[in-house]
Amino acid sequence: MATIEIIKQCLCDSINEVEPSKRLETAISIIRALLKVQCCSRCCLRFMNAGDLKLYAVPEQELGSLFAQLTEEEYNVQVCTACVGSLQHAESFAEPIGKRLEDENYETRTLSLTVTLPISLLPREHLLRVYLRDTLGIKSITVARDAKEPFRHILNAQLKKDFDIRPSATSPLRMILTIENKETSKDHMFLTQVKEPVLRVRTQRKKGKILTIGDSRPTVTEALRALKDDEARSLTTVPPASSTTLSTVESMQLTHESAYVGGRYMKYSREYSQTPWSIKGKKLTEHSVSESICEILKQKYRCDEYKFVSSGREDANVRMLGTGRPFYCELVNPRKLRFDKSEYAAMQDEINSLPSKDAVQLRDLTAIDQADTKIIKEGEEFKRKTYRALVWVSSPVTDEMIEKVNAAGSNPFKIKQNTPVRVFQRRAGIVREKEIHYCTAARPSNIKEDAEEAEKHFVVVSLNTQAGTYIKEFVHGDLGRTQPNFTSLAGVEAADLIELDVTEVDLTWPPEKQ
C-alpha cells in the first residue's frame, strides 16, 4: 500500500465521533488547521494519534509533500509550533550523539536511549487543542501522542544507519539525551497567573545561579489539566506563537554498566593504608593498597573512577600475609571491557612490578560478575581470619603463663566486645559477641632464655577468630570493654599489641568459573 493511502487510513481511524463518510474530510480539516499555524507533518500525525512508527520515520519533507497533496495546501514549515523543531528534525541529533560515542570509543555497539524533550511541548500541545476546538468546533480533540516515542524511533534508526549503533532496551550502555529550546523554555509560566494556580514557582540561588523551583513536568501537566479554555485565551496566545529557533542538545549523559575485577592482595608494609586515608584534607599515609592496584585497572578499562571493596580491612600498620585478602574493584563507566586470561596475567605482572612491589603484591586477578560481589559482603559475617601478634605483657613470660593461655585457647570460646574507644565516634555503641576458634601463645624464636629482662615481656600470640573481631581490643581488654581478653587469659595486669599480621582470610575467592 502506498504511503499516502496508509496516511488516509490512519486519519480515518483517528476520527471516531463522525460518521464514516466524513471522517477523512474532518481529519484533513484538522491537518489543514495545524499546517496553517506551522505544525510539522510529524506533529500532525501525533495530533491524529497515528500509531505506526514507520510513518513518522518517513523523511519530514517527503511526509510534508504528502500532506500538501491531501490538503491542497503548500507545505513550508521552518520551525514546528508544536515540537519546536525537535521531532521535526529528529534525525539531525544523530550526528552529535554519534560524534560523542566515537570520541568516547566504547567497545559496546548497542545503546539504550532515554530522551527528555523541551518542556514547552506540554503547554504548546494543550493550546493547539484549544485552537482546534475554537477553529473547527470539534469538542473532543484527543490528547496528542507523546513525541518521545517517535523521536526515539527516528533517532535510533539514524544512529544505526550512520554509526552502526543498534538500539537495545537492555544495552549496558545508556544515554540520557536532553533537548532544549531556550526561546520557549518559559512558555508554561503563564500557568502561575491563573485564578487558582496549581503551578507555584519560586527562585533559589545555588552556586551563584538563579534556579526556578516548582515547575516540574508532572506539576505542569497537572496545571494544564486544571486549566480552563477561557483562562488560557486570556493569559496567553492561542494558538501558541511560532518559535524562530530550532531545539538543540542541552546535555548527553553517557554511562556504561560497571565492570568488576576480583583478586587477592598481600600487603608487606606497615606504612600502607588499605584505601587513601586523610583527615581534613591531610593525607595520613602516603600510599594505599587500592591506589597501587586500581590505578592500572582504571587505565586498562578506560573508566571514569573505581570503587575498591575488600573482605574486611587491616589497619595501615598491620601486614596482610599468606594467600592475601580477597577484594574486588568496581570500574565505573568503562570504555573497554573484553580481556582474555593472558591480558589479566599481564595486568597482574604490571601491578606487581610497580615501585610499590615490595609493599603490595597481587594474585588471582580475574574478571568477575556483579552477582559475585555478594560473596565478599556475605563473608563479612561468616568467614574466619588467622592472626599472628607480637604482644607485650606486664610480667615476664613464664611457662605457666603460656600453658594457661594455650589451655584456655585450645577450644573455641566466646567474647563480648563493646564498641572500642578508638572507633566510638564512628560506630554504634553496642556489644558484639564474637568467637575465638583458637588462641595459642609462644615465646618469640629470637629471644633466648638468657635474654635481657625487658625482652622477656614479649610473647607471640596466634589466633583464629570470627570475622569482625577487634584484635587489638582482645589483646589489651580496652579498659575492660572486651571480656574475656588476652590479659585475663594470661593472668597479667596489662598487655599491649606491638605488631599484628593477618596470615589467612578463609574465603574461597575469586569464584571459579565453569
Side-chain angles (χ1 to χ4, degrees):
M1 186 185 296
T3 303
I4 194 165
E5 296 302 321
I6 297 174
I7 291 174
K8 285 181 180 180
Q9 185 61 52
C10 173
L11 296 180
C12 290
D13 292 343
S14 67
I15 304 295
N16 296 320
E17 297 185 3
V18 179
E19 58 183 88
S21 62
K22 295 183 178 181
R23 287 181 180 177
L24 181 59
E25 180 185 345
T26 301
I28 289 175
S29 68
I30 293 174
I31 299 298
R32 189 177 286 118
L34 290 170
L35 294 177
K36 185 178 180 180
V37 294
Q38 291 288 292
C39 287
C40 72
S41 55
R42 286 169 173 165
C43 282
C44 288
L45 287 174
R46 287 202 301 124
F47 273 88
M48 304 310 296
N49 269 290
D52 189 352
L53 289 172
K54 292 179 182 178
L55 281 179
Y56 295 93
V58 174
E60 208 274 327
Q61 283 299 318
E62 181 182 334
L63 200 55
S65 297
L66 295 174
F67 277 120
Q69 292 179 42
L70 285 172
T71 60
E72 299 179 348
E73 300 279 352
E74 183 180 355
Y75 182 81
N76 185 25
V77 178
Q78 299 301 314
V79 182
C80 175
T81 300
C83 70
V84 288
S86 56
L87 179 60
Q88 180 185 8
H89 299 291
E91 295 94 337
S92 67
F93 294 101
E95 184 175 353
I97 293 174
K99 181 67 167 58
R100 171 73 184 279
L101 289 169
E102 286 181 345
D103 291 344
E104 296 286 353
N105 194 22
Y106 286 93
E107 279 188 341
T108 303
R109 303 306 297 170
T110 59
L111 181 67
S112 175
L113 183 64
T114 300
V115 174
T116 300
L117 296 179
I119 195 171
S120 56
L121 269 65
L122 299 176
R124 285 175 168 268
E125 290 168 6
H126 184 92
L127 296 173
L128 282 166
R129 291 203 307 277
V130 176
Y131 157 72
L132 291 173
R133 286 194 289 268
D134 290 348
T135 303
L136 303 175
I138 301 175
K139 294 182 180 180
S140 56
I141 298 293
T142 58
V143 175
R145 179 177 185 169
D146 191 337
K148 284 196 293 187
E149 190 177 3
F151 178 93
R152 192 165 52 238
H153 176 78
I154 295 166
L155 184 52
N156 278 330
Q158 198 68 32
L159 285 169
K160 184 177 180 181
K161 176 184 175 185
D162 294 346
F163 299 96
D164 193 30
I165 299 294
R166 299 179 301 282
S168 171
T170 59
S171 173
L173 182 58
R174 298 179 293 273
M175 174 178 280
I176 300 175
L177 175 68
T178 303
I179 307 298
E180 68 172 355
N181 186 280
K182 291 183 178 179
E183 181 185 348
T184 64
S185 62
K186 300 297 182 183
D187 276 6
H188 58 285
M189 295 303 286
F190 78 91
L191 293 166
T192 62
Q193 302 170 28
V194 301
K195 188 174 181 180
E196 296 179 0
V198 173
L199 187 67
R200 300 176 187 274
V201 300
R202 57 188 174 87
T203 57
Q204 183 181 78
R205 181 179 291 274
K206 189 173 184 180
K207 295 183 179 179
K209 295 182 179 181
I210 303 297
L211 303 177
T212 302
I213 308 296
D215 61 342
S216 65
R217 289 170 188 268
T219 306
V220 171
T221 300
E222 185 183 352
L224 288 168
R225 198 178 293 121
L227 180 67
K228 298 177 181 177
D229 287 1
D230 289 343
E231 283 188 301
R233 297 186 196 98
S234 66
L235 294 172
T236 189
T237 305
V238 178
S242 299
S243 174
T244 59
T245 56
L246 290 170
S247 297
T248 57
V249 174
E250 178 183 7
S251 65
M252 285 184 279
Q253 298 177 37
L254 195 57
T255 56
H256 196 288
E257 287 182 0
S258 294
Y260 294 85
V261 176
R264 302 178 81 104
Y265 74 83
M266 289 70 71
K267 180 168 81 78
Y268 303 120
S269 168
R270 299 192 190 277
E271 296 179 354
Y272 274 57
S273 57
Q274 190 185 71
T275 54
W277 184 21
S278 61
I279 294 179
K280 295 182 179 179
K282 183 179 179 180
K283 291 187 73 172
L284 300 185
T285 57
E286 186 177 353
H287 305 288
S288 70
V289 173
S290 63
E291 290 171 308
S292 301
I293 296 171
C294 298
E295 287 297 327
I296 294 293
L297 299 178
K298 181 181 178 182
Q299 294 173 21
K300 301 298 184 184
Y301 277 80
R302 293 190 289 116
C303 64
D304 291 346
E305 58 179 332
Y306 57 80
K307 298 176 183 177
F308 182 85
V309 180
S310 64
S311 180
R313 59 187 301 123
E314 69 283 334
D315 291 339
N317 61 356
V318 176
R319 297 187 300 179
M320 178 66 238
L321 308 178
T323 58
R325 185 182 297 277
F327 78 92
Y328 72 82
C329 183
E330 178 185 356
L331 300 147
V332 179
N333 196 18
R335 277 70 172 176
K336 183 171 173 58
L337 295 164
R338 300 175 184 88
F339 300 92
D340 59 30
K341 288 184 178 180
S342 65
E343 289 173 302
Y344 283 111
M347 285 184 220
Q348 180 170 297
D349 289 344
E350 183 175 351
I351 292 167
N352 288 340
S353 302
L354 291 172
S356 59
K357 62 184 180 182
D358 293 332
V360 177
Q361 285 284 297
L362 188 62
R363 57 175 289 173
D364 303 333
L365 188 69
T366 187
I368 61 170
D369 298 325
Q370 183 179 8
D372 296 329
T373 63
K374 67 181 181 181
I375 298 172
I376 292 278
K377 295 168 184 174
E378 290 171 354
E380 290 295 326
E381 283 295 320
F382 305 110
K383 68 178 182 294
R384 293 164 60 161
K385 296 181 184 178
T386 305
Y387 299 89
R388 182 177 64 235
L390 178 63
V391 175
W392 174 90
V393 291
S394 56
S395 302
V397 176
T398 63
D399 290 343
E400 182 183 0
M401 182 190 300
I402 291 175
E403 289 171 5
K404 188 176 181 181
V405 171
N406 290 343
S410 61
N411 294 307
F413 60 95
K414 302 280 188 180
I415 65 171
K416 291 185 177 180
Q417 294 194 301
N418 208 323
T419 301
V421 172
R422 66 187 171 96
V423 299
F424 203 79
Q425 75 277 12
R426 64 178 187 270
R427 296 285 172 87
I430 60 174
V431 176
R432 299 169 175 85
E433 186 177 77
K434 297 294 181 179
E435 184 168 9
I436 307 296
H437 299 288
Y438 67 77
C439 176
T440 64
R443 288 186 177 86
S445 58
N446 62 340
I447 295 180
K448 307 301 181 184
E449 289 186 8
D450 59 350
E452 296 290 334
E453 182 67 22
E455 294 179 333
K456 295 180 179 179
H457 287 255
F458 292 97
V459 62
V460 174
V461 179
S462 300
L463 61 162
N464 182 273
T465 73
Q466 180 183 349
T469 304
Y470 291 107
I471 303 302
K472 291 179 180 179
E473 284 67 29
F474 169 71
V475 169
H476 58 61
D478 198 27
L479 303 175
R481 298 167 66 84
T482 292
Q483 293 290 344
N485 51 62
F486 182 79
T487 302
S488 62
L489 294 182
V492 295
E493 290 184 6
D496 200 8
L497 183 67
I498 305 303
E499 289 183 347
L500 180 65
D501 295 332
V502 185
T503 58
E504 184 181 0
V505 178
D506 183 18
L507 184 69
T508 301
W509 184 265
E512 293 184 7
K513 299 297 182 183
Q514 296 298 324

